[in-house]
């Protein structure tokens, strides 16, 4: 019965089902942009609603309106597609001021690898291989293109952001004991990489994520009514025009001294608000 159930209850979606990360990817693009001198910490970009610098034009989600002229923190808060389209475009602009897709894709791939998105997480379960985007750097910069990751892989990425740069492998095992209660194995919490950037850049990213919850989420939402300050980022990713978008939310808490991260992915879950609501229940249970 379980094998024939069309909801696939034996399929571990957390480790096996991949989705585009959508706007949860924008912190990575921010870091790539600053580190590669495509933007500076004080850079402001005007949202022109439709990005026309590439052949296949791309719209900001707020089209036909605009977010106006904004910097990094606000761009993360309001999830301005246009801001990050421009970052992706600048990453793809060579020394001759010409647009070079391969250049931008290589730069984004470099930082995806730094965050562990080029490999499985180490978790003791069957896990699908990640997919770093190999097309359209402008759309890849907002977590589209062919970016495709499991919830566990996205979880390691946001955990790395939360702790400001240490890429831990994931594990379900803390320790092992023998029949007499003696500890025979203690998990070393393997570190598989480091993201070494300035504290000032981490602060921009962290503050932008905190603003997602404080300024861009309803005051009555559960995540704003619990006794802990959460920082997060919503993501809505469309991969099939015949189906609803995927809903994602990545987060950590407490904001000033992170203890846990929560990643929620609802495949074909319509709106990122649904994933954020689910995360709110998890934080309420925890705290």
């Amino acid at each position: 019965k379980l094998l024939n159930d069309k909801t696939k209850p034996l399929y571990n979606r957390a480790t096996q089902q991949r989705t585009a990360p959508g706007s949860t990817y924008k912190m990575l693009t921010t870091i790539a942009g600053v580190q590669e001198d495509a933007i500076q910490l004080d850079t402001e970009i005007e949202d022109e609603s439709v990005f026309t610098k590439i052949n296949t034009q791309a719209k900001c989600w707020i089209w036909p309106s605009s977010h106006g002229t904004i910097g990094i923190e606000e761009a993360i808060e309001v999830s301005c597609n246009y801001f990050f389209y421009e970052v992706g475009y600048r990453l793809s602009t060579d020394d001759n001021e010409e647009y070079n897709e391969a250049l931008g894709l290589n730069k984004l791939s470099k930082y995806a690898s730094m965050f562990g998105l080029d490999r499985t997480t180490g978790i003791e379960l069957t896990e699908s291989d990640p997919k770093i985007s190999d097309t359209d750097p402008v759309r890849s910069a907002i977590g589209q293109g062919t970016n495709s990751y499991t919830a566990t892989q996205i979880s390691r990425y946001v955990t790395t952001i939360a702790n400001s740069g240490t890429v831990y492998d994931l594990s379900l095992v803390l320790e092992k004991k023998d029949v007499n209660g003696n500890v025979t194995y203690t998990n070393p919490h393997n570190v598989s990489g480091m993201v070494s950037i300035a504290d000032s850049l981490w602060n921009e990213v962290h503050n932008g994520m905190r603003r997602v919850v404080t300024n861009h989420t309803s005051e009555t939402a559960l995540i704003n009514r619990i006794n802990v300050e959460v920082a997060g980022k919503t993501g809505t990713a469309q991969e099939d025009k015949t189906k609803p978008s995927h809903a994602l939310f990545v987060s950590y808490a407490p904001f000033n001294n992170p203890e846990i991260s929560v990643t929620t992915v609802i495949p074909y879950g319509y709106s990122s608000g649904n994933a954020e609501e689910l995360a709110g229940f998890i934080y309420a249970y925890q705290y």
Side-chain angles (χ1 to χ4, degrees), residues 60-73:
C60 188
W61 67 265
I62 202 172
W63 176 88
S65 188
S66 165
H67 291 112
T69 300
I70 57 176
I72 290 173
E73 284 189 22

Side-chain angles (χ1 to χ4, degrees), residues 30 34 39-41 43 70-77 83 204:
T30 296
V34 173
I39 56 172
Q40 310 302 319
L41 289 179
T43 292
I70 57 176
I72 290 173
E73 284 189 22
E74 188 176 359
I76 293 173
E77 173 200 335
F83 184 98
E204 286 285 310

Side-chain angles (χ1 to χ4, degrees), residues 42-59:
D42 59 355
T43 292
E44 293 187 331
I45 293 172
E46 182 182 356
D47 177 5
E48 297 178 9
S49 193
V50 180
F51 193 78
T52 60
K53 294 181 181 180
I54 54 177
N55 291 331
T56 306
Q57 298 180 358
K59 295 178 181 177

Side-chain angles (χ1 to χ4, degrees), residues 1-13 16:
K1 182 178 178 181
L2 289 172
L3 289 170
N4 292 326
D5 189 325
K6 291 183 178 180
T7 66
K8 298 182 179 179
L10 300 181
Y11 180 60
N12 190 339
R13 288 175 173 81
Q16 292 180 276

Side-chain angles (χ1 to χ4, degrees), residues 244-266:
S245 297
H246 303 306
L248 301 95
F249 185 71
V250 299
S251 60
Y252 63 88
F255 172 59
N256 289 317
N257 187 25
E259 296 174 337
I260 67 170
S261 69
V262 176
T263 296
T264 53
V265 181
I266 309 176

Side-chain angles (χ1 to χ4, degrees), residues 64-280:
S65 188
S66 165
H67 291 112
T69 300
I70 57 176
I72 290 173
E73 284 189 22
E74 188 176 359
I76 293 173
E77 173 200 335
V78 301
S79 202
C80 178
N81 286 350
Y82 190 98
F83 184 98
F84 294 99
Y85 289 149
E86 177 65 24
V87 176
Y89 184 84
R90 293 184 187 184
L91 286 169
S92 308
T93 303
D94 62 23
D95 293 338
N96 296 320
E97 297 299 314
E98 294 182 356
Y99 178 63
N100 182 332
E101 283 201 355
L103 178 65
L105 289 168
N106 286 338
K107 289 179 180 177
L108 287 170
S109 178
K110 170 185 172 182
Y111 289 87
S113 298
M114 289 171 63
F115 277 97
L117 292 173
D118 63 339
R119 56 195 182 274
T120 53
T121 65
I123 200 166
E124 300 88 353
L125 294 169
T126 300
E127 186 177 24
S128 299
D129 290 328
K131 166 69 172 170
I132 297 175
S133 182
D134 58 3
T135 185
D136 195 344
V138 168
R139 286 179 173 82
S140 296
I142 67 160
Q144 297 281 174
T146 55
N147 281 308
S148 191
Y149 309 106
T150 65
T152 44
Q153 290 150 12
I154 296 171
S155 176
R156 176 164 66 176
Y157 154 66
V158 72
T159 298
T160 303
I161 293 173
N163 69 48
S164 299
T166 303
V167 186
Y168 289 104
D169 279 351
L170 302 191
S171 177
L172 299 172
V173 178
L174 177 64
E175 61 184 15
K176 298 178 184 177
K177 296 179 180 180
D178 63 20
V179 69
N180 297 314
N182 301 309
V183 175
T184 59
Y185 169 83
T186 301
N187 193 322
H189 302 298
N190 183 54
V191 175
S192 68
M194 294 290 297
V195 181
S196 299
I197 61 175
D199 288 344
S200 55
L201 178 50
W202 281 124
N203 288 339
E204 286 285 310
V205 170
H206 292 157
N207 290 338
M209 293 179 68
R210 177 62 182 145
R211 287 171 61 155
V212 169
V213 178
T214 58
N215 300 355
H216 209 69
T217 301
S218 170
E219 291 182 4
T220 61
L222 178 59
I223 204 165
N224 273 321
R225 292 190 288 112
I226 52 180
N227 190 32
V228 65
E229 293 185 342
V230 178
K233 182 71 191 81
T234 52
T236 305
Q238 184 182 50
E239 290 187 287
D240 186 337
K241 291 185 178 180
T242 68
K243 296 179 181 179
S245 297
H246 303 306
L248 301 95
F249 185 71
V250 299
S251 60
Y252 63 88
F255 172 59
N256 289 317
N257 187 25
E259 296 174 337
I260 67 170
S261 69
V262 176
T263 296
T264 53
V265 181
I266 309 176
Y268 310 112
Y270 290 90
S271 166
S272 57
N274 294 331
E276 184 174 12
E277 182 180 24
L278 176 55

